[in-house]
Amino acid sequence: MKLSLCRQEQKGPGSGRDRVGHGVRAIRVLVLGLVVLAAAIVPGALKAQTASSDESVVMGYNPFPPYSFTNENGQADGFSIDIARELARELGITITFREYANPGAVLEALRAEEVELTTIYALTEARRDAGLFTKPIGAFTTSAFVLKGGPVLEAKDLASRRIAATRGSYGLTVAGQTPFAEIVLQDSLTASLLPLLSGQVDAVVAPTNGFLRILRNHGLDTLVMPLEPSLAAQARGFIVSPARPALLSALDGAIADRLTDRQVAALQARWFGEPSSLLGDTRVLGMLAIAVVSLVLVIGALLSLVRVRGSARRAFASHERNRLLVDALDGIDMSIVIFDTALRPVYWNDGTIRSCPDLVKALKAGQTMTETIATTLIGSEPSEAGATRNVRARAEAMVRDALSGTETTRHLKLADGRVFELSEFPIGGDYVAAVRKDITRVETQAQKIREQSEALEQVNDRLRSFSIVAAHDLKSPLLQQDLLLQMAQEDMSAGKHTDALANMALVQRSNAALKRLMNDLISYSLEKDDADRPVRFDPLPRIQGVLDQISPPKGFEIALPKTMPQVTAAPEAFDIVMRNLLSNCIKHHDKPHGRIELHAKQDGTMVQIEIVDDGPGIPDGFERRIFSAFERLGPKSEESGTGLGLALVNKLVERWGGTVSASSPGPRGTVFHVAVPVADQGFRRRADGDIVPLNHSRSA
């Protein structure tokens, strides 16, 4: 690093004070001129704004200062509101503002066409169904704020640091993505100031504009700065009612052609403040002069020390933070290599020796930075024709970016399975650093978390299914018993003791079936693996048992085949499927009597079971819809169930690798088709835990 010192000519005593005085007077004159100019412009602007227009638009907004809020005069105000007014003035339209409690309420009003336009919101995918997005007007960004001159100078330096974030905020989500960071929760953005200034935390992750406004209000933006680039960004803009495509087109045109960066910057400065300046304070200027002199003396001493060091020591003296970074990271598996301007290695740390021994051999052999990067890329990619030439070109491009000051960061998975984060950046003007951080453990943990999350979702899904089974299948026997008990009570009152005893016998029979059902459900919930395990069985006796449970009305005839091919499935799940389909045929029949037939035949690796009724049939277009949750054919006033029975059937049949469908081939009647794997077929367990036939190709 080179440093030149120039001596300024002295102008005599008091000359510095005179120059400061002249500067202050000049600033006052400039401010007065701006006030006069504003006095001339503002009335005209207000007149233009209040002028009558040919079109009126209703905009919805919610309290979110300083973006949008209602001021003390009861008027809509804020950064977003001013942008809307500026666009309206350009388009010659009038905006009527309507306040709502929150963004969700505004979007609901947009869907209901109560408003035609929203204030500026983040243009997220979740909001696309609410309306049409205008062209973006900047972005909502989240940044890491650090002390100027502190140890954290770049986003990558946040690793293993203490980071403050507000509870429940998006900033907390962003901060949590920093490797090895310790997150310190705060109740508000303002509460994060003291820990940052006192050194209790190394950084604060917060909305960029919001935290800058707080810093400027307290005059602290001279001490605290946001790291560049921001950690996260989301495009922002207006959302227009789908019924107003012409308004969207007009706004997009105005945003593109008339809304200038200067206008947006001026409004940004008005609502979020401008950077604080200390140069107008003569005491500060004096302190700065003393600091500069002290700094010159310190640098002179350091330069004398640096001259007697080797090239590696010169690199760390010219960039102190990298020396500290190397010392701190010697205890973990991070590799740091320093190259000179000729791209020759001059230093590597202990982390390189531990985590990348092959790289150390290459460095000792004199490989340049370009060659080491190319070797790493080749070791991480499958060999193919022309791969070496392409990798060499990529390595040269990365080196050019690093030399030009553009830091490149990427993840690389080596052939041995390890994952590294690689980055290159200049140190001073004479050296370039290449950093490798082993993030294999982080990637492995992230993958485990993803897998555990998927497994948990599957468990929750199965729990929901079990709850549906219990509620749906217990309801019918209980209602039946209640009806039989009422009939027995009426018979006893009328002296018909024989009929009463017959009804009581039916209650006992229904109760026995209910007990079997309860045992099946308990087995299904407590011994899930065994309950899901396919076994070979004859389906005919189980179907007869299901009929005993549902007790078809006297007017219904159930015709079963004499024999059925043996199948392989989960018995309890098979019972649930048959019980729901047969109950569905009876429940939705439009006559007090009917006939239901069951047929079964083997078709390849599946047994095709058909349940045929002579009911009213299924309307066209509903053959698949009836298997969706909460889908019912009858009006809600009818006692036609919850709409979950057939959805459960579809899920259980798919779980054993089969299919279920429905059709109405004639003017009346419905046919349910159920495919069940044949006996003695091989099975496998899918990634989601379901056990399916070996030839089942449906993805989990």
Side-chain angles (χ1 to χ4, degrees):
M1 178 181 295
K2 298 181 180 179
L3 181 67
S4 61
L5 303 177
C6 298
R7 179 177 298 174
Q8 295 185 355
E9 182 181 358
Q10 300 294 325
K11 298 278 179 104
S15 59
R17 187 181 302 110
D18 293 339
R19 286 196 299 273
V20 172
H22 291 318
V24 172
R25 286 193 293 273
I27 291 175
R28 290 175 177 170
V29 171
L30 178 60
V31 171
L32 180 61
L34 291 175
V35 171
V36 173
L37 182 61
I41 293 176
V42 169
L46 292 175
K47 181 178 180 181
Q49 182 174 348
T50 56
S52 62
S53 57
D54 297 332
E55 184 178 4
S56 178
V57 175
V58 180
M59 169 182 279
Y61 72 97
N62 63 280
F64 184 43
Y67 285 97
S68 60
F69 61 96
T70 302
N71 61 25
E72 61 276 9
N73 297 323
Q75 301 295 319
D77 214 346
F79 173 78
S80 300
I81 303 300
D82 280 356
I83 292 242
R85 286 182 174 135
E86 184 66 24
L87 293 173
R89 185 184 64 80
E90 294 288 346
L91 296 174
I93 62 177
T94 301
I95 297 183
T96 301
F97 297 96
R98 187 174 298 172
E99 182 179 4
Y100 292 85
N102 51 58
V106 176
L107 295 175
E108 283 301 319
L110 187 69
R111 293 186 183 97
E113 298 186 12
E114 296 177 9
V115 300
E116 300 157 282
L117 183 67
T118 73
T119 183
I120 292 179
Y121 284 146
L123 303 180
T124 62
E125 287 300 321
R127 290 172 172 169
R128 281 199 177 277
D129 67 331
L132 309 173
F133 290 175
T134 66
K135 291 181 179 296
I137 306 175
F140 291 113
T141 60
T142 301
S143 298
F145 289 82
V146 299
L147 290 176
K148 292 183 178 180
V152 180
L153 300 178
E154 299 173 281
K156 69 180 183 61
D157 297 336
L158 294 171
S160 73
R161 302 283 183 177
R162 289 172 58 84
I163 302 176
T166 305
R167 300 176 191 273
S169 67
Y170 179 64
L172 178 59
T173 302
V174 175
Q177 298 171 358
T178 304
F180 311 112
E182 178 185 351
I183 307 302
V184 180
L185 297 178
Q186 301 292 332
D187 293 327
S188 65
L189 291 179
T190 304
S192 303
L193 287 176
L194 183 57
L196 180 62
L197 296 174
S198 63
Q200 297 178 31
V201 298
D202 300 298
V204 174
V205 175
T208 307
N209 286 334
F211 202 62
L212 278 175
R213 181 168 178 257
I214 294 174
L215 292 173
R216 289 165 181 169
N217 288 343
H218 291 81
L220 296 175
D221 58 316
T222 58
L223 303 176
V224 179
M225 69 175 184
L227 295 179
E228 295 291 346
S230 59
L231 300 180
Q234 178 64 57
R236 67 189 184 191
F238 298 103
I239 305 179
V240 183
S241 169
R244 297 297 305 273
L247 176 60
L248 174 69
S249 178
L251 287 172
D252 281 346
I255 292 171
D257 301 331
R258 305 182 189 180
L259 186 64
T260 65
D261 292 340
R262 179 176 296 181
Q263 289 174 303
V264 176
L267 292 176
Q268 189 94 0
R270 174 188 176 190
W271 289 107
F272 295 99
E274 294 182 315
S276 303
S277 174
L278 299 177
L279 296 180
D281 192 330
T282 56
R283 293 173 298 177
V284 174
L285 290 175
M287 294 175 63
L288 287 176
I290 294 173
V292 169
V293 173
S294 300
L295 181 61
V296 168
L297 294 176
V298 171
I299 291 177
L302 289 176
L303 288 176
S304 298
L305 180 62
V306 167
R307 290 190 185 97
V308 299
R309 303 284 184 170
S311 58
R313 295 301 181 187
R314 289 199 302 272
F316 290 107
S318 65
H319 209 297
E320 179 66 12
R321 73 178 179 86
N322 282 278
R323 184 186 65 79
L324 297 175
L325 182 61
V326 169
D327 292 341
L329 296 179
D330 265 343
I332 63 175
D333 290 334
M334 177 175 285
S335 163
I336 299 181
V337 183
I338 307 298
F339 298 88
D340 60 17
T341 52
L343 304 181
R344 295 170 301 194
V346 296
Y347 177 86
W348 52 86
N349 70 333
D350 293 343
T352 306
I353 299 173
R354 288 193 304 272
S355 62
C356 306
D358 293 337
L359 177 61
V360 174
K361 294 178 182 179
L363 295 172
K364 289 182 178 180
Q367 276 196 0
T368 64
M369 181 178 179
T370 305
E371 292 169 340
T372 57
I373 293 177
T375 301
T376 303
L377 293 176
I378 292 174
S380 66
E381 299 178 350
S383 58
E384 57 184 14
T388 303
R389 182 173 61 256
N390 295 335
V391 166
R392 176 77 183 190
R394 288 176 55 193
E396 291 174 349
M398 293 174 188
V399 171
R400 284 195 300 271
D401 289 341
L403 292 175
S404 65
T406 302
E407 181 178 343
T408 58
T409 302
R410 62 207 171 277
H411 289 180
L412 210 60
K413 185 173 184 179
L414 303 184
D416 60 6
R418 290 184 298 165
V419 182
F420 282 87
E421 181 181 88
L422 280 64
S423 60
E424 296 85 27
F425 51 89
I427 304 176
D430 300 325
Y431 299 92
V432 179
V435 178
R436 293 186 180 195
K437 181 168 59 179
D438 189 341
I439 59 172
T440 306
R441 186 179 64 172
V442 176
E443 287 292 316
T444 302
Q445 290 175 343
Q447 180 62 28
K448 288 182 179 178
I449 291 173
R450 288 191 292 268
E451 293 174 354
Q452 291 171 353
S453 177
E454 293 174 359
L456 180 60
E457 180 60 30
Q458 292 162 8
V459 170
N460 289 336
D461 184 59
R462 290 170 183 259
L463 181 60
R464 286 190 293 268
S465 297
F466 173 74
S467 301
I468 294 171
V469 169
H472 190 273
D473 288 346
L474 292 176
K475 178 181 177 182
S476 178
L478 291 174
L479 291 176
Q480 183 185 47
Q481 291 184 21
D482 182 64
L483 178 61
L484 290 171
L485 289 173
Q486 290 181 19
M487 294 173 61
Q489 185 177 12
E490 293 173 357
D491 291 338
M492 291 293 290
S493 300
K496 300 178 180 179
H497 300 291
T498 302
D499 293 341
L501 290 175
N503 286 327
M504 291 300 296
L506 291 176
V507 170
Q508 291 178 339
R509 181 179 176 184
S510 176
N511 186 54
L514 183 60
K515 287 180 179 179
R516 289 195 298 270
L517 175 59
M518 288 293 296
N519 291 333
D520 288 346
L521 290 175
I522 292 173
S523 173
Y524 190 79
S525 62
L526 298 182
E527 300 178 10
K528 193 66 180 66
D529 290 339
D530 292 337
D532 272 347
R533 195 180 311 279
V535 299
R536 176 181 177 179
F537 62 88
D538 184 350
L540 190 56
R542 301 201 71 90
I543 293 176
Q544 291 171 337
V546 168
L547 290 173
D548 289 340
Q549 293 176 4
I550 63 177
S551 297
K554 293 181 179 179
F556 280 83
E557 178 184 358
I558 311 296
L560 300 179
K562 293 182 179 180
T563 61
M564 296 179 68
Q566 291 198 341
V567 298
T568 303
E572 291 84 359
F574 180 83
D575 291 356
I576 293 170
V577 169
M578 291 296 110
R579 184 162 50 249
N580 276 282
L581 293 179
L582 290 168
S583 298
N584 192 80
C585 294
I586 296 171
K587 180 170 54 179
H588 293 286
H589 207 289
D590 57 347
K591 296 181 179 180
H593 54 81
R595 178 179 174 84
I596 300 173
E597 299 179 358
L598 272 77
H599 307 282
K601 64 178 180 179
Q602 183 171 340
D603 183 11
T605 61
M606 291 287 177
V607 173
Q608 301 292 339
I609 299 177
E610 292 185 350
I611 302 176
V612 185
D613 69 23
D614 57 355
I618 302 174
D620 292 340
F622 280 83
E623 289 86 353
R624 286 306 307 169
R625 289 179 55 183
I626 61 174
F627 293 100
S628 301
F630 303 106
E631 189 70 47
R632 295 182 295 185
L633 296 182
K636 294 183 179 180
S637 59
E638 296 182 10
E639 295 182 2
S640 56
T642 63
L644 294 172
L646 293 183
L648 178 61
V649 166
N650 185 61
K651 181 175 294 187
L652 292 176
V653 172
E654 285 187 349
R655 185 169 293 170
W656 69 47
T659 59
V660 62
S661 61
S663 62
S664 292
R668 289 184 61 82
T670 299
V671 182
F672 286 105
H673 310 268
V674 183
V676 190
V678 299
D680 301 327
Q681 185 177 180
F683 282 79
R684 61 183 174 87
R685 184 177 291 275
R686 289 193 317 207
D688 61 1
D690 291 342
I691 299 175
V692 297
L694 288 174
N695 64 348
H696 182 61
S697 60
R698 182 180 180 273
S699 60

